[in-house]
Amino acid sequence: MFSERIGYIIWVSDLKAARSLDKYGTVHYMSRKMHYVVMYMNADRADEVVRNIQRLPFVKRIERSYRNEIKTEYTRGVPDKTRFYSL
C-alpha cells in the first residue's frame, strides 16, 4: 500500500534556495540555525534523486538518516527495583 521511504539530511549554504528541494521529496524540517534540511523520498528513486540534489550549487553535503533502522522496541534488561522501595 505505502512505498518504502528513506530520510536524508541535506546540509545547505542557502536556506532560501533550499525551499526548492520540495520538488524532490517531502521536506520534513528546515533548520535555520544549523542550515540543514530533513527530507523523505521514495526508496525506489532515491539514488537518482540524491545524484540530482548533489549537483545543486547550494548543497554542501548529503547524509542518509538511519532513523528507520534504529531499534524502537525496548526490553528491560535490569530488574525493576521500585517494588523493593515501596511502603
Side-chain angles (χ1 to χ4, degrees):
M1 184 173 162
F2 293 110
S3 62
E4 184 71 24
R5 308 274 288 166
I6 295 179
Y8 283 95
I9 294 97
I10 302 168
W11 298 89
V12 296
S13 58
D14 184 17
L15 282 174
K16 191 175 264 191
R19 288 188 227 161
S20 67
L21 290 174
D22 198 30
K23 63 183 174 184
Y24 295 105
T26 305
V27 174
H28 180 70
Y29 178 74
M30 292 178 76
S31 172
R32 290 189 175 130
K33 185 177 181 181
M34 296 183 64
H35 293 279
Y36 70 89
V37 177
V38 177
M39 69 179 300
Y40 291 92
M41 59 189 77
N42 292 339
D44 54 349
R45 295 186 49 224
D47 294 332
E48 175 188 337
V49 171
V50 167
R51 272 187 262 121
N52 290 339
I53 291 174
Q54 225 159 11
R55 292 182 189 140
L56 297 173
F58 57 88
V59 174
K60 291 181 184 176
R61 185 172 80 222
I62 299 177
E63 298 176 7
R64 188 167 174 272
S65 172
Y66 294 102
R67 184 168 189 241
N68 58 350
E69 297 173 10
I70 295 174
K71 187 175 117 178
T72 56
E73 298 171 4
Y74 305 106
T75 59
R76 183 173 296 252
V78 179
D80 188 18
K81 295 182 181 179
T82 57
R83 60 184 167 159
F84 296 117
Y85 300 113
S86 62
L87 295 175

Coordinates of all heavy atoms in Angstrom, one line a residue:
M1 N 0.8 -1.2 0.0 CA 0.0 0.0 0.0 C 0.9 1.3 0.0 O 0.8 2.1 -0.9 CB -0.9 0.0 1.2 CG -1.9 1.1 1.3 SD -3.0 0.8 2.6 CE -3.6 2.5 2.8
F2 N 1.7 1.4 1.0 CA 2.6 2.5 1.1 C 4.0 2.1 0.6 O 4.5 1.0 0.9 CB 2.8 3.1 2.5 CG 1.5 3.7 3.0 CD1 0.8 3.0 4.0 CD2 1.1 4.9 2.6 CE1 -0.3 3.6 4.5 CE2 -0.1 5.4 3.0 CZ -0.8 4.8 4.0
S3 N 4.7 3.0 -0.2 CA 6.0 2.7 -0.6 C 7.0 2.9 0.5 O 6.8 3.8 1.4 CB 6.3 3.5 -1.9 OG 6.3 4.9 -1.6
E4 N 8.2 2.3 0.4 CA 9.2 2.5 1.4 C 9.8 3.9 1.2 O 10.1 4.3 0.1 CB 10.3 1.4 1.1 CG 11.4 1.4 2.1 CD 11.0 0.9 3.5 OE1 10.0 0.2 3.6 OE2 11.7 1.3 4.4
R5 N 10.0 4.5 2.3 CA 10.6 5.9 2.3 C 11.9 5.9 3.0 O 12.2 5.2 3.9 CB 9.6 6.8 3.1 CG 8.2 6.8 2.7 CD 7.9 7.7 1.5 NE 7.9 9.1 1.9 CZ 7.9 10.0 1.0 NH1 7.9 9.8 -0.2 NH2 7.9 11.3 1.4
I6 N 12.8 6.8 2.5 CA 14.1 6.9 3.1 C 14.3 8.4 3.4 O 14.0 9.3 2.7 CB 15.2 6.5 2.1 CG1 15.1 5.0 1.8 CG2 16.6 6.8 2.6 CD1 16.1 4.5 0.8
G7 N 14.9 8.6 4.6 CA 15.2 10.0 5.0 C 16.6 10.4 4.7 O 17.6 9.6 4.8
Y8 N 16.8 11.7 4.4 CA 18.1 12.2 4.1 C 18.3 13.6 4.9 O 17.3 14.3 5.0 CB 18.4 12.5 2.6 CG 18.7 11.2 1.9 CD1 17.7 10.5 1.3 CD2 19.9 10.7 1.8 CE1 17.9 9.3 0.6 CE2 20.2 9.5 1.2 CZ 19.2 8.8 0.5 OH 19.5 7.7 -0.1
I9 N 19.5 13.8 5.4 CA 19.8 15.1 5.9 C 20.7 15.8 4.9 O 21.7 15.3 4.5 CB 20.6 15.0 7.3 CG1 19.6 14.4 8.3 CG2 21.0 16.4 7.8 CD1 19.8 13.0 8.5
I10 N 20.3 17.0 4.5 CA 21.0 17.7 3.4 C 21.5 19.0 4.0 O 20.7 19.9 4.5 CB 20.0 18.0 2.2 CG1 19.5 16.7 1.7 CG2 20.7 18.8 1.1 CD1 18.4 16.8 0.7
W11 N 22.8 19.2 4.0 CA 23.4 20.4 4.6 C 23.5 21.4 3.4 O 24.0 21.1 2.3 CB 24.8 20.1 5.1 CG 24.8 19.1 6.2 CD1 24.8 17.8 6.2 CD2 24.6 19.5 7.6 NE1 24.7 17.2 7.4 CE2 24.6 18.3 8.3 CE3 24.5 20.7 8.3 CZ2 24.5 18.2 9.7 CZ3 24.4 20.6 9.7 CH2 24.4 19.4 10.4
V12 N 23.0 22.6 3.7 CA 22.9 23.6 2.6 C 23.6 24.9 3.0 O 23.8 25.1 4.2 CB 21.4 23.9 2.3 CG1 20.7 22.7 1.7 CG2 20.7 24.4 3.5
S13 N 23.9 25.7 2.1 CA 24.5 27.0 2.3 C 23.5 28.2 2.3 O 23.7 29.2 2.8 CB 25.7 27.3 1.4 OG 25.2 27.3 0.0
D14 N 22.4 27.9 1.6 CA 21.4 29.0 1.4 C 20.0 28.4 1.7 O 19.5 27.5 0.9 CB 21.5 29.5 0.0 CG 20.5 30.7 -0.3 OD1 20.0 31.3 0.7 OD2 20.3 31.0 -1.4
L15 N 19.3 28.8 2.7 CA 18.0 28.3 3.1 C 16.9 28.7 2.1 O 16.0 28.0 1.9 CB 17.7 28.6 4.5 CG 18.4 27.8 5.6 CD1 18.0 28.3 6.9 CD2 17.9 26.3 5.5
K16 N 17.1 29.9 1.6 CA 16.1 30.4 0.6 C 16.1 29.5 -0.6 O 15.0 29.2 -1.1 CB 16.3 31.9 0.3 CG 15.2 32.5 -0.5 CD 15.5 34.0 -0.7 CE 14.8 34.7 0.4 NZ 14.8 36.2 0.1
A17 N 17.2 29.1 -1.1 CA 17.3 28.2 -2.2 C 16.9 26.8 -1.9 O 16.4 26.1 -2.7 CB 18.7 28.2 -2.8
A18 N 17.0 26.4 -0.6 CA 16.7 25.1 -0.2 C 15.2 24.8 -0.2 O 14.8 23.7 -0.1 CB 17.2 24.9 1.2
R19 N 14.4 25.9 -0.3 CA 13.0 25.7 -0.4 C 12.6 25.0 -1.7 O 11.5 24.3 -1.8 CB 12.2 27.0 -0.3 CG 12.2 27.6 1.0 CD 11.4 28.8 1.1 NE 12.1 29.9 1.7 CZ 11.8 31.2 1.6 NH1 10.8 31.5 0.9 NH2 12.5 32.1 2.3
S20 N 13.5 25.0 -2.7 CA 13.2 24.3 -3.9 C 13.4 22.8 -3.8 O 13.1 22.1 -4.8 CB 14.1 24.9 -5.0 OG 15.5 24.6 -4.8
L21 N 13.9 22.3 -2.7 CA 14.1 20.9 -2.5 C 12.7 20.1 -2.4 O 12.7 18.9 -2.5 CB 14.9 20.6 -1.3 CG 16.4 20.9 -1.4 CD1 17.0 20.7 0.0 CD2 17.1 20.1 -2.4
D22 N 11.7 20.9 -2.3 CA 10.3 20.3 -2.2 C 9.9 19.5 -3.4 O 9.2 18.5 -3.3 CB 9.3 21.4 -1.9 CG 8.0 20.8 -1.3 OD1 8.1 19.8 -0.6 OD2 7.0 21.4 -1.5
K23 N 10.5 19.8 -4.5 CA 10.1 19.0 -5.8 C 10.8 17.7 -5.8 O 10.4 16.8 -6.6 CB 10.4 19.9 -7.0 CG 11.8 20.2 -7.2 CD 12.0 21.1 -8.4 CE 13.4 21.5 -8.6 NZ 13.6 22.5 -9.7
Y24 N 11.8 17.4 -5.0 CA 12.5 16.1 -5.0 C 11.9 15.1 -4.0 O 12.2 14.0 -4.1 CB 14.0 16.4 -4.7 CG 14.7 17.1 -5.8 CD1 15.0 18.5 -5.5 CD2 15.0 16.6 -7.0 CE1 15.6 19.2 -6.5 CE2 15.6 17.3 -8.0 CZ 15.9 18.6 -7.7 OH 16.6 19.3 -8.7
G25 N 11.2 15.6 -3.0 CA 10.6 14.7 -2.0 C 9.8 15.6 -1.0 O 9.5 16.7 -1.2
T26 N 9.6 15.0 0.2 CA 8.8 15.7 1.2 C 9.8 16.3 2.2 O 10.6 15.6 2.9 CB 7.9 14.7 2.0 OG1 7.1 14.0 1.0 CG2 7.1 15.4 3.0
V27 N 9.8 17.6 2.3 CA 10.7 18.3 3.2 C 10.0 18.2 4.6 O 8.9 18.7 4.8 CB 10.9 19.8 2.8 CG1 11.7 20.5 3.9 CG2 11.7 19.8 1.5
H28 N 10.7 17.6 5.5 CA 10.1 17.4 6.9 C 10.5 18.6 7.8 O 9.6 19.1 8.6 CB 10.6 16.1 7.4 CG 10.0 15.8 8.8 ND1 8.7 15.5 9.0 CD2 10.6 15.8 10.0 CE1 8.5 15.3 10.3 NE2 9.7 15.5 10.9
Y29 N 11.7 19.1 7.7 CA 12.2 20.1 8.7 C 13.3 20.9 8.0 O 14.2 20.3 7.3 CB 12.7 19.4 10.0 CG 13.2 20.4 11.0 CD1 12.4 21.2 11.7 CD2 14.6 20.5 11.2 CE1 12.9 22.1 12.6 CE2 15.1 21.3 12.1 CZ 14.3 22.2 12.8 OH 14.8 23.0 13.8
M30 N 13.4 22.2 8.3 CA 14.5 23.0 7.8 C 15.0 23.7 9.1 O 14.3 24.5 9.7 CB 14.0 24.0 6.8 CG 13.6 23.4 5.5 SD 13.0 24.6 4.3 CE 14.5 25.4 3.8
S31 N 16.3 23.6 9.3 CA 16.9 24.2 10.5 C 17.6 25.5 10.0 O 18.5 25.5 9.2 CB 18.0 23.3 11.1 OG 18.7 24.1 12.1
R32 N 17.1 26.6 10.5 CA 17.6 28.0 10.1 C 19.0 28.2 10.8 O 19.8 28.8 10.2 CB 16.7 29.0 10.5 CG 15.4 29.0 9.7 CD 14.6 30.3 10.0 NE 13.4 30.2 9.1 CZ 12.2 30.4 9.4 NH1 11.9 30.6 10.7 NH2 11.2 30.4 8.6
K33 N 19.1 27.7 12.0 CA 20.4 27.9 12.7 C 21.5 27.1 12.2 O 22.6 27.6 12.0 CB 20.1 27.6 14.2 CG 21.3 28.0 15.1 CD 21.0 27.7 16.5 CE 22.1 28.0 17.4 NZ 21.8 27.8 18.8
M34 N 21.3 25.8 11.9 CA 22.4 24.9 11.6 C 22.4 24.7 10.1 O 23.3 23.9 9.6 CB 22.3 23.6 12.3 CG 22.5 23.8 13.8 SD 22.4 22.3 14.7 CE 23.9 21.5 14.1
H35 N 21.5 25.2 9.3 CA 21.5 25.1 7.8 C 21.4 23.7 7.3 O 22.3 23.3 6.6 CB 22.7 25.9 7.2 CG 22.6 27.3 7.4 ND1 21.8 28.2 6.7 CD2 23.1 28.1 8.4 CE1 21.9 29.4 7.1 NE2 22.7 29.4 8.1
Y36 N 20.4 22.9 7.7 CA 20.2 21.6 7.1 C 18.7 21.4 6.9 O 17.9 22.1 7.5 CB 20.8 20.5 8.0 CG 20.1 20.2 9.3 CD1 19.0 19.4 9.4 CD2 20.5 20.9 10.5 CE1 18.4 19.1 10.6 CE2 19.9 20.6 11.7 CZ 18.8 19.7 11.7 OH 18.2 19.5 12.9
V37 N 18.4 20.5 6.0 CA 17.1 20.1 5.7 C 16.9 18.6 5.9 O 17.8 17.8 5.4 CB 16.8 20.5 4.2 CG1 15.4 20.1 3.8 CG2 17.0 22.0 4.0
V38 N 15.8 18.2 6.5 CA 15.5 16.8 6.7 C 14.4 16.5 5.7 O 13.3 17.2 5.7 CB 15.0 16.4 8.1 CG1 14.6 15.0 8.2 CG2 16.1 16.7 9.1
M39 N 14.6 15.6 4.8 CA 13.6 15.3 3.8 C 13.5 13.8 3.6 O 14.4 13.0 3.8 CB 13.8 16.0 2.5 CG 15.0 15.6 1.7 SD 15.1 16.5 0.2 CE 13.6 16.2 -0.7
Y40 N 12.3 13.4 3.1 CA 12.0 12.0 2.9 C 11.6 11.8 1.4 O 11.0 12.7 0.8 CB 10.8 11.5 3.7 CG 11.2 11.4 5.2 CD1 11.0 12.4 6.1 CD2 11.8 10.3 5.7 CE1 11.4 12.4 7.4 CE2 12.2 10.2 7.0 CZ 12.0 11.2 7.9 OH 12.3 11.2 9.2
M41 N 12.0 10.7 0.8 CA 11.7 10.4 -0.6 C 11.5 8.9 -0.7 O 11.9 8.1 0.1 CB 12.8 10.9 -1.5 CG 14.2 10.3 -1.2 SD 15.5 11.1 -2.1 CE 15.7 12.6 -1.2
N42 N 10.9 8.5 -1.8 CA 10.7 7.1 -2.1 C 12.0 6.4 -2.3 O 12.9 6.9 -2.9 CB 9.8 6.9 -3.4 CG 8.4 7.4 -3.1 OD1 7.9 7.5 -2.0 ND2 7.7 7.7 -4.2
A43 N 12.1 5.1 -1.8 CA 13.3 4.4 -1.8 C 13.7 3.9 -3.2 O 14.8 3.8 -3.5 CB 13.2 3.2 -0.9
D44 N 12.7 3.7 -4.1 CA 13.0 3.2 -5.4 C 13.7 4.2 -6.3 O 14.4 3.8 -7.2 CB 11.7 2.6 -6.0 CG 10.6 3.6 -6.1 OD1 10.7 4.7 -5.4 OD2 9.6 3.4 -6.8
R45 N 13.4 5.5 -6.0 CA 14.1 6.5 -6.9 C 15.1 7.3 -6.1 O 15.6 8.3 -6.6 CB 13.0 7.5 -7.3 CG 12.0 6.9 -8.3 CD 11.0 7.9 -8.8 NE 11.8 9.1 -9.4 CZ 11.4 10.4 -9.1 NH1 10.3 10.6 -8.4 NH2 12.1 11.4 -9.6
A46 N 15.5 6.9 -4.9 CA 16.4 7.7 -4.0 C 17.8 7.9 -4.6 O 18.3 9.0 -4.5 CB 16.5 7.0 -2.7
D47 N 18.4 6.9 -5.2 CA 19.7 7.1 -5.8 C 19.7 8.1 -6.9 O 20.6 9.0 -6.9 CB 20.2 5.8 -6.3 CG 20.5 4.7 -5.2 OD1 20.7 5.1 -4.1 OD2 20.4 3.5 -5.5
E48 N 18.8 8.1 -7.7 CA 18.7 9.1 -8.8 C 18.4 10.5 -8.3 O 19.1 11.4 -8.7 CB 17.5 8.6 -9.8 CG 17.3 9.6 -10.9 CD 16.0 9.2 -11.6 OE1 15.6 8.0 -11.6 OE2 15.4 10.1 -12.2
V49 N 17.5 10.6 -7.3 CA 17.2 11.9 -6.7 C 18.4 12.5 -6.0 O 18.7 13.7 -6.1 CB 16.0 11.8 -5.8 CG1 15.7 13.1 -5.1 CG2 14.7 11.4 -6.7
V50 N 19.1 11.7 -5.2 CA 20.3 12.1 -4.5 C 21.4 12.7 -5.4 O 22.0 13.7 -5.2 CB 20.8 11.0 -3.6 CG1 22.2 11.4 -3.0 CG2 19.9 10.8 -2.4
R51 N 21.6 12.0 -6.6 CA 22.5 12.5 -7.5 C 22.1 13.8 -8.1 O 23.0 14.7 -8.3 CB 22.7 11.5 -8.7 CG 23.7 10.4 -8.4 CD 24.0 9.6 -9.6 NE 23.2 8.3 -9.4 CZ 22.3 7.8 -10.2 NH1 22.1 8.5 -11.3 NH2 21.7 6.7 -9.9
N52 N 20.8 14.0 -8.3 CA 20.3 15.3 -8.8 C 20.5 16.4 -7.8 O 20.8 17.5 -8.1 CB 18.9 15.2 -9.3 CG 18.7 14.4 -10.5 OD1 19.7 14.2 -11.3 ND2 17.6 13.8 -10.7
I53 N 20.2 16.1 -6.5 CA 20.3 17.1 -5.5 C 21.7 17.5 -5.2 O 22.0 18.6 -5.0 CB 19.6 16.5 -4.2 CG1 18.1 16.4 -4.3 CG2 20.0 17.4 -3.0 CD1 17.4 15.7 -3.2
Q54 N 22.7 16.5 -5.4 CA 24.1 16.8 -5.1 C 24.6 17.8 -6.1 O 25.6 18.5 -5.9 CB 24.9 15.5 -5.1 CG 25.8 15.4 -4.0 CD 26.2 13.9 -3.8 OE1 25.9 13.1 -4.6 NE2 26.9 13.7 -2.7
R55 N 24.1 17.9 -7.3 CA 24.5 18.8 -8.3 C 24.1 20.2 -8.1 O 24.6 21.1 -8.7 CB 24.0 18.4 -9.7 CG 24.5 17.1 -10.2 CD 24.0 16.7 -11.5 NE 24.4 15.4 -11.9 CZ 23.6 14.5 -12.5 NH1 22.4 14.9 -12.9 NH2 24.1 13.3 -12.9
L56 N 23.2 20.4 -7.2 CA 22.7 21.8 -6.9 C 23.8 22.6 -6.3 O 24.5 22.1 -5.4 CB 21.4 21.7 -6.0 CG 20.2 21.0 -6.6 CD1 19.1 20.9 -5.6 CD2 19.7 21.8 -7.9
P57 N 23.9 23.9 -6.6 CA 25.0 24.7 -6.1 C 25.0 25.0 -4.6 O 26.0 25.3 -4.0 CB 25.0 26.0 -6.9 CG 23.6 26.0 -7.4 CD 23.1 24.6 -7.6
F58 N 23.8 25.0 -4.0 CA 23.7 25.4 -2.6 C 23.8 24.2 -1.7 O 23.8 24.3 -0.4 CB 22.4 26.1 -2.3 CG 21.2 25.3 -2.7 CD1 20.6 24.5 -1.8 CD2 20.6 25.5 -4.0 CE1 19.5 23.7 -2.2 CE2 19.5 24.8 -4.4 CZ 18.9 23.9 -3.5
V59 N 24.0 23.0 -2.2 CA 24.1 21.8 -1.4 C 25.5 21.5 -1.0 O 26.4 21.4 -1.9 CB 23.5 20.5 -2.1 CG1 23.7 19.3 -1.3 CG2 22.0 20.8 -2.3
K60 N 25.8 21.4 0.3 CA 27.2 21.1 0.7 C 27.4 19.6 0.9 O 28.4 19.1 0.4 CB 27.4 21.8 2.1 CG 27.5 23.2 2.1 CD 27.8 23.7 3.5 CE 27.8 25.2 3.6 NZ 28.0 25.6 5.0
R61 N 26.5 18.9 1.6 CA 26.7 17.5 1.9 C 25.4 16.8 2.1 O 24.4 17.5 2.5 CB 27.6 17.5 3.2 CG 28.0 16.1 3.6 CD 28.9 16.1 4.8 NE 28.2 16.4 6.0 CZ 28.6 17.2 7.0 NH1 29.7 17.9 6.9 NH2 27.9 17.3 8.1
I62 N 25.3 15.6 1.8 CA 24.1 14.8 2.0 C 24.4 13.6 2.8 O 25.4 12.8 2.5 CB 23.5 14.3 0.6 CG1 23.1 15.5 -0.2 CG2 22.3 13.4 0.9 CD1 22.5 15.2 -1.6
E63 N 23.6 13.3 3.9 CA 23.8 12.2 4.8 C 22.5 11.4 4.8 O 21.4 12.0 4.8 CB 24.2 12.6 6.2 CG 25.5 13.4 6.3 CD 25.7 13.8 7.7 OE1 24.9 13.5 8.6 OE2 26.7 14.6 7.9
R64 N 22.6 10.1 4.9 CA 21.4 9.3 5.0 C 21.0 9.2 6.4 O 21.8 9.1 7.3 CB 21.7 7.9 4.4 CG 20.5 7.0 4.3 CD 20.8 5.8 3.5 NE 19.7 4.9 3.5 CZ 19.5 4.0 4.4 NH1 20.4 3.8 5.4 NH2 18.4 3.2 4.4
S65 N 19.7 9.2 6.7 CA 19.2 9.1 8.0 C 18.9 7.6 8.3 O 18.3 6.9 7.5 CB 17.9 9.9 8.1 OG 17.3 9.6 9.4
Y66 N 19.4 7.2 9.5 CA 19.3 5.8 9.8 C 18.2 5.6 10.9 O 18.2 4.6 11.6 CB 20.6 5.2 10.4 CG 21.7 5.2 9.3 CD1 22.6 6.1 9.2 CD2 21.6 4.2 8.3 CE1 23.6 6.1 8.2 CE2 22.6 4.1 7.3 CZ 23.6 5.1 7.3 OH 24.5 5.0 6.3
R67 N 17.3 6.5 10.9 CA 16.2 6.5 11.9 C 15.3 5.3 11.8 O 14.9 4.7 12.8 CB 15.4 7.8 11.8 CG 14.3 7.8 12.9 CD 13.7 9.2 12.9 NE 12.9 9.3 14.1 CZ 11.6 9.5 14.1 NH1 11.0 9.7 12.9 NH2 10.9 9.6 15.2
N68 N 15.0 4.8 10.6 CA 14.1 3.7 10.5 C 14.8 2.4 10.8 O 14.2 1.3 10.9 CB 13.5 3.6 9.1 CG 14.6 3.6 8.0 OD1 15.8 3.8 8.2 ND2 14.1 3.3 6.8
E69 N 16.2 2.4 10.9 CA 16.9 1.2 11.3 C 17.2 1.0 12.7 O 17.8 0.0 13.2 CB 18.2 1.1 10.5 CG 18.0 1.1 9.0 CD 19.2 1.2 8.2 OE1 20.3 1.2 8.8 OE2 19.1 1.4 6.9
I70 N 16.9 2.1 13.5 CA 17.2 2.0 15.0 C 16.1 1.2 15.6 O 14.9 1.4 15.3 CB 17.2 3.5 15.5 CG1 18.4 4.2 15.0 CG2 17.3 3.5 17.0 CD1 18.4 5.7 15.3
K71 N 16.5 0.4 16.6 CA 15.5 -0.5 17.3 C 14.7 0.4 18.2 O 15.2 1.1 19.1 CB 16.3 -1.5 18.0 CG 15.4 -2.6 18.7 CD 16.2 -3.6 19.3 CE 16.0 -3.6 20.8 NZ 16.7 -4.6 21.5
T72 N 13.4 0.3 18.1 CA 12.5 1.1 18.9 C 11.7 0.3 19.9 O 10.9 0.8 20.7 CB 11.5 1.9 18.1 OG1 10.8 1.1 17.2 CG2 12.2 3.0 17.2
E73 N 11.9 -1.0 19.9 CA 11.3 -1.9 20.8 C 12.2 -2.2 22.0 O 13.3 -2.8 21.8 CB 10.9 -3.2 20.2 CG 9.9 -3.0 19.1 CD 9.6 -4.3 18.3 OE1 10.2 -5.3 18.6 OE2 8.9 -4.2 17.3
Y74 N 11.9 -1.7 23.1 CA 12.8 -1.8 24.3 C 12.5 -3.0 25.2 O 11.3 -3.3 25.4 CB 12.8 -0.5 25.1 CG 13.1 0.7 24.2 CD1 12.1 1.6 23.9 CD2 14.3 1.0 23.7 CE1 12.3 2.7 23.0 CE2 14.6 2.1 22.9 CZ 13.6 2.9 22.6 OH 13.8 4.0 21.8
T75 N 13.5 -3.6 25.7 CA 13.3 -4.7 26.7 C 14.0 -4.3 28.0 O 15.0 -3.6 28.0 CB 13.9 -6.0 26.2 OG1 15.3 -5.8 25.9 CG2 13.3 -6.5 24.9
R76 N 13.5 -4.8 29.0 CA 14.0 -4.5 30.3 C 15.1 -5.5 30.7 O 14.8 -6.6 31.0 CB 12.9 -4.5 31.4 CG 13.4 -4.1 32.8 CD 12.2 -3.9 33.7 NE 11.4 -2.9 33.2 CZ 11.3 -1.7 33.8 NH1 11.9 -1.5 34.9 NH2 10.5 -0.8 33.3
G77 N 16.3 -5.1 30.6 CA 17.5 -5.9 30.9 C 17.8 -5.9 32.4 O 18.4 -6.8 32.9
V78 N 17.3 -4.9 33.1 CA 17.6 -4.8 34.5 C 16.3 -5.0 35.3 O 15.3 -4.5 34.9 CB 18.2 -3.3 34.8 CG1 18.5 -3.2 36.3 CG2 19.4 -3.1 34.0
P79 N 16.4 -5.8 36.4 CA 15.1 -6.0 37.1 C 14.6 -4.7 37.8 O 15.4 -3.8 38.1 CB 15.5 -7.0 38.2 CG 17.0 -7.0 38.3 CD 17.5 -6.5 36.9
D80 N 13.3 -4.6 37.9 CA 12.7 -3.4 38.5 C 12.9 -3.4 40.0 O 12.4 -4.3 40.7 CB 11.2 -3.4 38.1 CG 10.5 -2.2 38.5 OD1 11.2 -1.1 38.7 OD2 9.3 -2.2 38.6
K81 N 13.6 -2.4 40.5 CA 13.9 -2.2 41.9 C 12.8 -1.4 42.7 O 12.9 -1.2 43.9 CB 15.2 -1.7 42.2 CG 16.3 -2.6 41.7 CD 17.7 -2.0 41.9 CE 18.8 -2.9 41.4 NZ 20.1 -2.3 41.7
T82 N 11.9 -0.8 42.0 CA 10.9 0.1 42.6 C 10.0 -0.7 43.6 O 9.6 -0.1 44.6 CB 10.1 0.8 41.6 OG1 9.4 -0.1 40.8 CG2 10.9 1.7 40.7
R83 N 9.7 -1.9 43.4 CA 8.8 -2.6 44.3 C 9.5 -2.9 45.6 O 8.8 -3.1 46.6 CB 8.4 -3.9 43.7 CG 9.5 -4.9 43.3 CD 8.9 -6.1 42.6 NE 10.0 -6.8 42.0 CZ 10.0 -8.0 41.7 NH1 8.9 -8.7 41.9 NH2 11.1 -8.6 41.2
F84 N 10.8 -2.9 45.7 CA 11.5 -3.1 47.0 C 11.5 -1.9 47.8 O 11.7 -2.0 49.0 CB 13.0 -3.5 46.7 CG 13.1 -4.8 46.0 CD1 13.7 -4.8 44.7 CD2 12.7 -6.0 46.6 CE1 13.8 -6.1 44.1 CE2 12.8 -7.2 45.9 CZ 13.4 -7.2 44.7
Y85 N 11.3 -0.7 47.2 CA 11.3 0.6 48.0 C 9.9 1.1 48.3 O 9.8 2.2 48.9 CB 12.1 1.6 47.2 CG 13.5 1.2 47.0 CD1 14.0 1.0 45.7 CD2 14.4 1.1 48.0 CE1 15.3 0.6 45.5 CE2 15.7 0.8 47.8 CZ 16.2 0.5 46.5 OH 17.4 0.2 46.3
S86 N 8.9 0.4 48.0 CA 7.5 0.8 48.3 C 7.2 0.6 49.7 O 7.8 -0.2 50.4 CB 6.5 0.1 47.4 OG 6.5 -1.3 47.7
L87 N 6.2 1.4 50.2 CA 5.8 1.3 51.6 C 4.9 0.2 51.9 O 4.1 -0.4 51.5 CB 5.2 2.6 52.1 CG 6.2 3.8 52.1 CD1 5.5 5.1 52.4 CD2 7.4 3.6 53.0

